[in-house]
Each structure stands twice: as structure tokens, then as C-alpha cells.
Amino acid sequence: MADELTPETPEEEQPKKTHKQRKNGLYPGVSDELAESMRTGWADTELHGLEPIAQAAHTAARRAALSARFPGDRLVIPAGRLKTRSNDTEYPFRASTEYAYLTGDQTENGVLVLEPTVDGHTATVYLLPRSDRENGEFWLSGQGELWVGRRHSLTEAEQLLGIPAKDVRKLADELTEATGPVRNVRGHDSVIESALTDKVTKELDEELRVYLSEARAVKDEFEIGELQKAVDSTVRGFEDVVKVLDKAEATSERYIEGTFFLRARVEGNDVGYGSICAAGAHACTLHWVRNDGAVRSGDLLLLDAGVETHSLYTADVTRTLPINGRYTEIQRKIYDAVYESQEAGIAAVKPGAKFRDFHDASQHVLAEKLVEWGLLEGPVERVLELGLQRRWTLHGTGHMLGMDVHDCAAARTEAYVDGTLEPGMCLTVEPGLYFQADDLTVPEEYRGIGVRIEDDILVTEDGNRNLSAGLPRTSDEVEAWMARLKG
């Protein structure tokens, strides 16, 4: 990658007309003649008549609800800043969920501020404007347009987001002078936090974070549509993987990871989380993301992956597939037990049910199987009371899903795991059985087998809808599906 003039300090923190040189850049400086040449001769590229983004009406409603919840308080919700990966390279930017949920914007350094008024709040989104051509910022700054691409002007941003936009480089000073109660979503922007250090409290800030987490529990129609898009792309990504399992056998789990990632980048923004491409005994490691192991015929592949849409909603789907297309007798026995458990869990997802009900239903089935197989001594009620099944089931049976793969994570316990399901909530149902390769308490034929089946379930007015029903779930259906894809 090019490296001649990129400075070492962020654009908004640089002196107005001085751009710091890279220590070992090949050019010693900029002549007056070159600087003058770069100032002129550029066409006007301002965009006019832009239509609002698809979720603009929904983000406006979310801001209105937020305003009603915290009357009289100044509310500050940052997008976050670029994070260094190594030296002078950064990780791809992903805006904070709270900021993107309330604005639809995804640009770094953005900050949403709700300023209290007598009858609510006035919302302003503070953004980096287009890079300055007069002082050379656009080609000399490491975050200038000629290095990282064009940003929207503030006027363009206003048209797209439906929110008045101002220059974020002036915001820290404004917040330093602010008076009255302030709440800030912490952990995303150290510059904003420094400006507010004597104006906020941990308790009030946490209330804001908790509210924004709980507000996302019930999805609106836009969000449901985006989740379905994410799932549909994920289904195609799983099909892509099945078609290239022979190439994965010749290489490693990385081929599976790369194959799914291609679909995620072509149809969405990214993967919603690190893909778990766990072949063989790696399937017993719940979050196996190294993906550097061998892919062998006769073993199982546990693929847990999800496409994230351009609006940052993610799917989260798991299938456990026989690499050669056919389950062995013991693999099928374990797989069918997990399927039966998942069926019981999905059936328990309905409005008015407790969030824990689907977990309890799934775990009951798995405990029954473990007693039936002689791995645990019954009765089943004793096993469940003592949690003995957890040696092999390990994790909870599901979680909320949305803009975060583990959505609504900051919600109060009484509103989440001890809460009640409502139409519009979306969650995963994902029981599993994992028999570690070194587990001497189970017969040898079980060891090294891990099975998880996970689907994305929307709570509806009369029950539920499986958003990921496009992928087969029974062992027979999986084998027939794989055979068709492999031709």
C-alpha cells in the first residue's frame, strides 16, 4: 500500500496547515508550487437531491422514544474512532451499535447529541466534514479523501439521515462548556469522554446504555426485513461451503472461512462475528475461530456463521454437516438428539412465554438422552436440578439477535432472561452436545464429536417464524441437500 505522506496523527487533531510527515517517507516535503497546484482544478462533486436512507423514519422514532425517556438531559452517543491494528494500519471501522441504531450513520468519529429543550430534545449529528482542499488535508492527511475515499458533506449527510449535521471537530470544546445533566454512552470515544469527565456519572451513563439495549429487544418492520436479508445471504453462504468441501479437505478450515466470507462481503457488510469453521474434534470448542485445522472425510463440520447486512443486522446460524455427505451411526444418533432438543426449544418460543422456557425445554430433552444413553444416572429431574448435563451441553440454548450477534446484552436481567417474549423479538435456539476428545467418562466412539444446530427465530403474534428455515435441519434432509449441491 502507498505510504508517502500519511501522517501519524488523526486528521481532526492536526494543526490547520501542517501535516506531519511519515518518518521514512520518500518525499521530504511539499513545494509551494505543488501545494498551489493541488488546491485548484477540481470539479464540484457535491451531491444534490439525495433521498433519505431506508431506516430514516425508524431512527427518528427511536430518537423520539429516547428523548421521552430522559427529559431534560443532554444525551451523547458516539460512533467511536478508528482502532490501530498495527503501527499505522487500522481495523475496518464498525460504528457503535447504539449510534447506528439511532442515526443509520456508520462513519468514524460521528457523535449524536440530543440537546434538551422545553418540550423534548433537538437532535444533531456531529460528523467529520469533507477533507479540506485549501490546506491540503484531502491529499496530505492519512484520513484525507485521496487516501481513504470521499466522505459525505455535512449537507449531504443531513439529507440522508434526516438530522441536522455539524462539524465534529468543534464538539469537544462545546461539550466542555456544557451545563446541566449529561449522559454519555461510554467506551467508544475517549476524546468525548475527556470533554465530559466532570459532567457525567457512571450510574447515569449506565442507565442510558441499559435503556438503549432494552429498546432494541422488539424489532420494527425494517429490522425484521434486514434480519431476513442477513439470514438469506447466510443460507447461500452455507451452500457455497458445501460445494467446496473437497477443496477444504485439500487445504484446511481456512478454505471454509474464506468461502463464507466471500458471500458476506459480496452481499453484505461483513461477517457479523468470527466464523466458527470447526472440523472434527474442533467442534467441541464452542468458539473455535482459529480455523486452521484439517478437514477430513468421515468427520463432522460444525459451521457457525452469519452475514451482517449493510445496515449492520446479523444472522447467526449453525449446522453440523458430515464432510463426506453421510453421517455415521454414532454421529446420526447424537445429531438426531440435538435436533429433537431444538424442536422442543423452538416449540416453546411464543408470545407470553418466559424467555427461559425454550432453554428449559431443550435442556430437558438433552438430559433425557444422556440418561437414556447411560452417561448420567437419573432421574432426569435430578440431573437438571444439579445441572449435570452441562458437562456435555455447556452453554445456554440461545440469545437475542439483532445489530449485535448477542443483542441487548446490557439489558436488565428482569427484562431479558427473566423476562417474557413479545412479538417482534428475535432470538436464536441453539442446543448442542459436545464430547471432548479427552473425556474418559464417555465411550470412545463419542469422543471428539460436537454437534450444534442453531436457527434464528422471530416471535410472532401467534407463535414464531424460523427465519433460517431455508437450511435443512433433520439428518436425512441435510444428507439429501448436500448430495444435491455436490451434484
Side-chain angles (χ1 to χ4, degrees), residues 426-440:
C426 188
L427 52 91
T428 67
V429 178
E430 50 174 312
L433 282 173
Y434 312 91
F435 299 101
Q436 305 298 325
D438 59 351
D439 188 348
L440 301 181

Side-chain angles (χ1 to χ4, degrees), residues 391-407:
R391 180 181 178 102
W392 301 290
T393 66
L394 294 176
H395 56 80
T397 310
H399 52 80
M400 292 289 193
L401 183 68
M403 295 184 81
D404 287 327
V405 64
H406 297 142
D407 209 30

Side-chain angles (χ1 to χ4, degrees), residues 190-206:
S190 60
V191 173
I192 296 301
E193 289 182 23
S194 294
L196 294 173
T197 187
D198 60 343
K199 305 176 190 304
V200 295
T201 67
K202 184 177 180 181
E203 292 73 22
L204 294 182
D205 286 356
E206 181 63 12

Side-chain angles (χ1 to χ4, degrees), residues 230-246:
V231 169
D232 291 345
S233 289
T234 298
V235 168
R236 289 187 283 273
F238 274 65
E239 293 172 345
D240 296 339
V241 167
V242 171
K243 292 174 183 178
V244 299
L245 282 176
D246 56 335

